[in-house]
Amino acid sequence: MPTRTDRPKVSLIKSVGITLALLILGTAVLLLWTRGAAEPETARKPLAPRIEPPLISLELDGLSAETQTGLLRETAAQLAHRLVMAFPRTAEAHMLQGNTFRQLGQSAQALACWQEALALAPRRPDAYTYMAILAEEKGESAQALAHWEKVLALEPDHAGVRDSLAHTLMGLNRRDAAIEFLREELTLSPRSARTHYLLGQAHLREKRFPEAIDYFEKTLVLDPNFSQATYELATALVRSGRSQEAQLYRDKFQKRNKRQKKKDLYGFTAQDDLRKAKQSLASLATAAAGLYQAAGRNLTGLALLEEAVALDPENLERRKRLAARYQALGRPQEALGQCERIADLQPNDATCQMLIGSLNLQLGRHRQAESAFQRMVSLAPGQAYGYRELARLHLTTNNNLKQARTWAQQAVTLEPSAPNYYVLGLVYHRMGDASAALQALQQALQKDPGNQAYQESYRQMSLDRKHESN
């Protein structure tokens, strides 16, 4: 006659259900990995004519660094052009083309693209930002100021905007206004070395030397390597009659300046240019992938994202995006490959280990899944998730339930949440402790009363206990 612990609990613990829960959570975390990237405006379903996918196909092996760089820049220009052809009514496509022109040194074309983007989407602060920077470089301070004012109107709480606006005002000799904006900036970014430095500059030009000295000193506290602040502080000290103190900062500045000049003697090599060209094309391809993905052209988007990772293989954020796309498209093996590569590059990333565990579980690799969850627990012992998933895994395999109980209890201790209580209840139930199981399920339902899985498990457990009593 089977014992209580031998009886099947098909209605309560279904390995398929547990695995599905893991997969849903794993997919959510993969998507959270990429949430930081700006969503393209194609999320509003722009019209995209069906054209040949703008896949990147480059054969760079055997070519000189200079030749490779030239091909990469040409490919970037072509890809940006094809984006505009594919999404002519999408501001993001025009922004990307403008940024590409800018990187290629074609400022007039870049400006035209950004203006086209604004015609389609007038409330894009990034377009005004790029236009302001370009105007500054051309010495058009009044035009730059107008652009910065638009950025500020669109993003009044964005840190750093007032710094840029104040810098332009100082170029126009409007130092009082600059100081007011910089003081506002300090309320947003009280530890900004740049803001303190600009305040020091403004007060120095106003011949308010004690205030300038104070701001420069605070700059160097926040950023001891801010070389120009060292020079400006020495100047302010001299003008305050504190020449002996000034000499100390002059000496520091000169030493740093000599080191920098020695470093600059080497200049940029052809390999530096090649690396930057690859990174620029990878960034463009990543953004282009987002446009195609939002338009429902997933395979084109995926191919572009794969090319981006191939061009810049050390970039973890792109690998995370690629892993998320593989998972969303039902390709767990490829998603796992990317997560494992990320773990090689960033071995102390606990979230990555969690995803490796989840994906291995999806692929039926229980031993590898357990190893990943164990690694997660060792990296993040204060997080409940790893303990809970180890308990789930042992429920699935019906292996070492005492250890599963210990893990589930630890998860509840660290985070008394509904999912953790639910897993603890399942473990108790599997071990034959009906009373403890029902108590745990009651806790789960108190925290999440509308959860149907919890309700069904509690109902079934109650029926089982009632039948046993009879």
Side-chain angles (χ1 to χ4, degrees):
M1 180 176 181
T3 65
R4 174 64 177 151
T5 56
D6 291 331
R7 291 176 59 191
K9 307 293 184 300
V10 176
S11 64
L12 294 178
I13 306 172
K14 298 182 180 180
S15 61
V16 173
I18 293 174
T19 303
L20 179 59
L22 277 171
L23 297 182
I24 292 171
L25 183 55
T27 301
V29 175
L30 277 167
L31 292 174
L32 283 173
W33 249 358
T34 64
R35 179 173 282 183
E39 287 295 325
E41 294 179 22
T42 45
R44 296 193 291 271
K45 298 187 181 302
L47 296 176
R50 294 183 176 276
I51 64 169
E52 194 70 20
L55 303 181
I56 302 169
S57 181
L58 289 172
E59 293 293 336
L60 301 177
D61 292 344
L63 301 177
S64 68
E66 292 85 352
T67 302
Q68 290 183 58
T69 299
L71 284 172
L72 289 162
R73 289 173 175 169
E74 181 181 344
T75 301
Q78 292 173 352
L79 176 57
H81 175 71
R82 296 181 76 172
L83 284 176
V84 171
M85 293 298 99
F87 305 104
R89 302 297 301 167
T90 303
E92 181 67 13
H94 294 276
M95 286 298 304
L96 291 171
Q97 188 179 37
N99 296 347
T100 302
F101 277 130
R102 170 73 164 152
Q103 290 167 358
L104 296 174
Q106 301 176 33
S107 298
Q109 295 91 326
L111 181 60
C113 291
W114 296 331
Q115 289 171 337
E116 181 63 30
L118 285 171
L120 294 166
R123 297 184 60 80
R124 284 196 67 123
D126 55 343
Y128 288 114
T129 296
Y130 295 138
M131 291 166 67
I133 293 170
L134 184 59
E136 287 270 17
E137 292 174 353
K138 294 166 66 176
E140 300 172 352
S141 297
Q143 186 64 57
L145 179 62
H147 293 320
W148 286 127
E149 287 172 340
K150 288 176 181 176
V151 175
L152 184 61
L154 292 169
E155 294 187 314
D157 297 325
H158 194 282
V161 176
R162 288 170 178 80
D163 274 2
S164 299
L165 193 153
H167 183 269
T168 302
L169 285 168
M170 288 167 63
L172 292 167
N173 293 320
R174 294 173 57 185
R175 289 186 285 273
D176 287 341
I179 288 171
E180 288 303 313
F181 278 112
L182 290 168
R183 285 174 176 164
E184 289 178 15
E185 182 65 34
L186 279 185
T187 64
L188 295 173
S189 308
R191 296 189 59 79
S192 168
R194 183 181 183 224
T195 306
H196 283 90
Y197 171 72
L198 290 172
L199 277 164
Q201 273 196 323
H203 285 87
L204 180 60
R205 294 180 187 179
E206 288 288 297
K207 299 182 180 181
R208 295 159 64 178
F209 302 126
E211 294 97 326
I213 290 170
D214 184 50
Y215 282 119
F216 288 136
E217 286 177 338
K218 288 178 180 176
T219 301
L220 292 171
V221 169
L222 294 166
D223 183 1
N225 296 317
F226 203 132
S227 181
Q228 194 60 29
T230 305
Y231 177 82
E232 301 273 18
L233 176 55
T235 301
L237 286 167
V238 166
R239 295 183 182 179
S240 296
R242 297 162 61 179
S243 299
Q244 193 170 8
E245 294 176 67
Q247 189 60 46
L248 294 173
Y249 287 101
R250 274 208 189 96
D251 292 342
K252 286 182 181 180
F253 175 76
Q254 288 172 357
K255 287 179 182 178
R256 288 176 183 165
N257 203 33
K258 284 180 181 178
R259 287 196 298 267
Q260 188 61 43
K261 283 183 178 179
K262 186 176 180 180
K263 185 178 178 181
D264 291 344
L265 285 174
Y266 297 100
F268 289 105
T269 67
Q271 289 298 326
D272 291 329
D273 290 339
L274 176 57
R275 183 182 67 256
K276 289 182 178 180
K278 285 184 176 181
Q279 291 172 345
S280 295
L281 181 54
S283 295
L284 176 60
T286 302
L291 287 173
Y292 280 98
Q293 178 187 328
R297 298 171 66 173
N298 290 321
L299 293 181
T300 300
L302 179 63
L304 284 164
L305 197 51
E306 288 172 334
E307 292 289 352
V309 170
L311 285 164
D312 192 9
E314 304 301 306
N315 187 293
L316 295 178
E317 292 308 311
R318 291 196 184 100
R319 284 194 180 275
K320 290 176 181 180
R321 288 175 67 104
L322 182 55
R325 290 308 302 147
Y326 281 139
Q327 176 73 344
L329 294 172
R331 295 167 62 172
Q333 184 66 58
E334 290 95 330
L336 177 60
Q338 291 302 316
C339 288
E340 289 175 337
R341 180 60 180 141
I342 293 166
D344 290 339
L345 296 168
Q346 200 171 54
N348 294 326
D349 187 335
T351 301
C352 187
Q353 294 299 324
M354 182 273 287
L355 291 169
I356 290 173
S358 176
L359 289 165
N360 271 305
L361 195 60
Q362 181 179 356
L363 294 167
R365 300 173 179 174
H366 293 157
R367 182 177 58 81
Q368 293 91 330
E370 181 174 0
S371 177
F373 290 136
Q374 291 275 22
R375 175 68 174 154
M376 180 187 179
V377 165
S378 68
L379 290 171
Q383 293 184 15
Y385 181 87
Y387 299 101
R388 183 179 77 227
E389 297 316 311
L390 282 167
R392 282 185 187 272
L393 179 58
H394 280 243
L395 276 172
T396 302
T397 59
N398 201 31
N399 177 44
N400 198 349
L401 294 177
K402 288 185 178 180
Q403 181 62 63
R405 180 181 61 194
T406 299
W407 282 322
Q409 289 171 337
Q410 179 67 9
V412 166
T413 299
L414 290 169
E415 183 186 342
S417 65
N420 292 343
Y421 272 115
Y422 178 63
V423 172
L424 180 60
L426 296 181
V427 173
Y428 279 137
H429 188 70
R430 176 69 66 85
M431 296 182 73
D433 191 340
S435 177
L438 285 170
Q439 288 178 10
L441 262 293
Q442 285 173 348
Q443 291 290 333
L445 281 169
Q446 284 180 8
K447 295 177 181 299
D448 188 4
N451 189 295
Q452 293 183 355
Y454 300 170
Q455 293 171 1
E456 175 59 23
S457 294
Y458 186 80
R459 185 188 68 80
Q460 188 61 50
M461 285 185 189
S462 299
L463 288 174
D464 285 352
R465 193 174 186 190
K466 183 177 180 181
H467 293 155
E468 288 174 0
S469 298
N470 295 333

